[in-house]
Amino acid sequence: MTESAASNSTVDRDELRKNPVPGCINHPGRETTLRCNRCDRPICPECARKTPVGYRCTECVRQQQSIFDTAIWHDYVVAAVISFVLSGLAGALLVRLGWFVIFLAPTVGGIISEIIRRAVGRRRGKYLSYVAVGCMLLAGIFNLTMWGIVYLFIAATTVYSRLRSISI
Ligand SMILES: [Zn+2]
Ligand SMILES: [Zn+2]
């Protein structure tokens, strides 16, 4: 956000009534036909934020992010323990199967991320994926064989992308 956007964040209602083409909510002087698709207020291209569901004003984007970051501190502990224990166990078992880990690691990653999601009550947190992957890597230190590393790479990237995709 620019300095002028921060200082001019109130809507100039009179300006809106006089002017058939509405001005941006942050920059009343700027005419714009673009609207936030959540609150329907006019926004100039500079203030519009592109989201997967269309253009939104910065305020709505911020509100949305706080809804999606609902994890509480013990969710991180739960995610850490689950990923450390399960990934450590799965890694130790899977390396015995040799090259077969290539096929099983994505499944294991999927299972671990699903268990984490359920254990944290489907709450979302920006850093849950980092915590989970960090603990998987930590558990992987005890399993530094070639297939152990292959397993870890595949399973960790699966967990990372699964936990990321629900946190957007
Ligand atoms: Zn909005
Ligand atoms: Zn603007």
Side-chain angles (χ1 to χ4, degrees):
M1 204 193 285
T2 60
E3 285 142 44
S4 56
S7 59
N8 265 331
S9 58
T10 50
V11 186
D12 193 334
R13 298 276 171 202
D14 292 334
E15 191 80 10
L16 273 180
R17 232 171 289 131
K18 272 182 281 172
N19 218 331
V21 182
C24 169
I25 48 168
N26 298 320
H27 310 97
R30 286 191 200 168
E31 294 183 353
T32 178
T33 49
L34 204 62
R35 279 172 187 277
C36 168
N37 76 350
R38 186 162 175 268
C39 65
D40 206 36
R41 294 184 302 175
I43 38 176
C44 73
E46 193 194 310
C47 296
R49 294 288 172 270
K50 199 170 177 7
T51 72
V53 287
Y55 286 102
R56 293 205 163 161
C57 69
T58 44
E59 213 175 297
C60 288
V61 168
R62 217 169 318 146
Q63 277 178 19
Q64 206 69 15
Q65 276 167 353
S66 59
I67 292 169
F68 284 135
D69 198 2
T70 50
I72 26 192
W73 69 269
H74 58 72
D75 291 339
Y76 289 99
V77 179
V78 168
V81 172
I82 291 174
S83 51
F84 183 85
V85 173
L86 287 188
S87 182
L89 283 175
L93 289 172
L94 287 191
V95 287
R96 293 158 197 263
L97 304 173
W99 57 270
F100 216 62
V101 294
I102 296 169
F103 299 101
L104 290 176
T107 312
V108 172
I111 293 170
I112 292 176
S113 49
E114 189 55 36
I115 292 174
I116 292 174
R117 282 180 67 183
R118 282 168 197 232
V120 301
R122 298 192 185 276
R123 282 184 292 274
R124 299 143 191 257
K126 263 182 264 178
Y127 307 111
L128 271 182
S129 54
Y130 299 126
V131 170
V133 168
C135 290
M136 288 176 76
L137 296 179
L138 211 60
I141 291 173
F142 303 104
N143 194 14
L144 282 178
T145 58
M146 188 183 81
W147 293 120
I149 293 166
V150 170
Y151 155 78
L152 198 60
F153 179 77
I154 301 173
T157 48
T158 308
V159 168
Y160 182 77
S161 64
R162 290 284 182 96
L163 291 182
R164 291 299 285 177
S165 67
I166 57 158
S167 61
I168 289 169

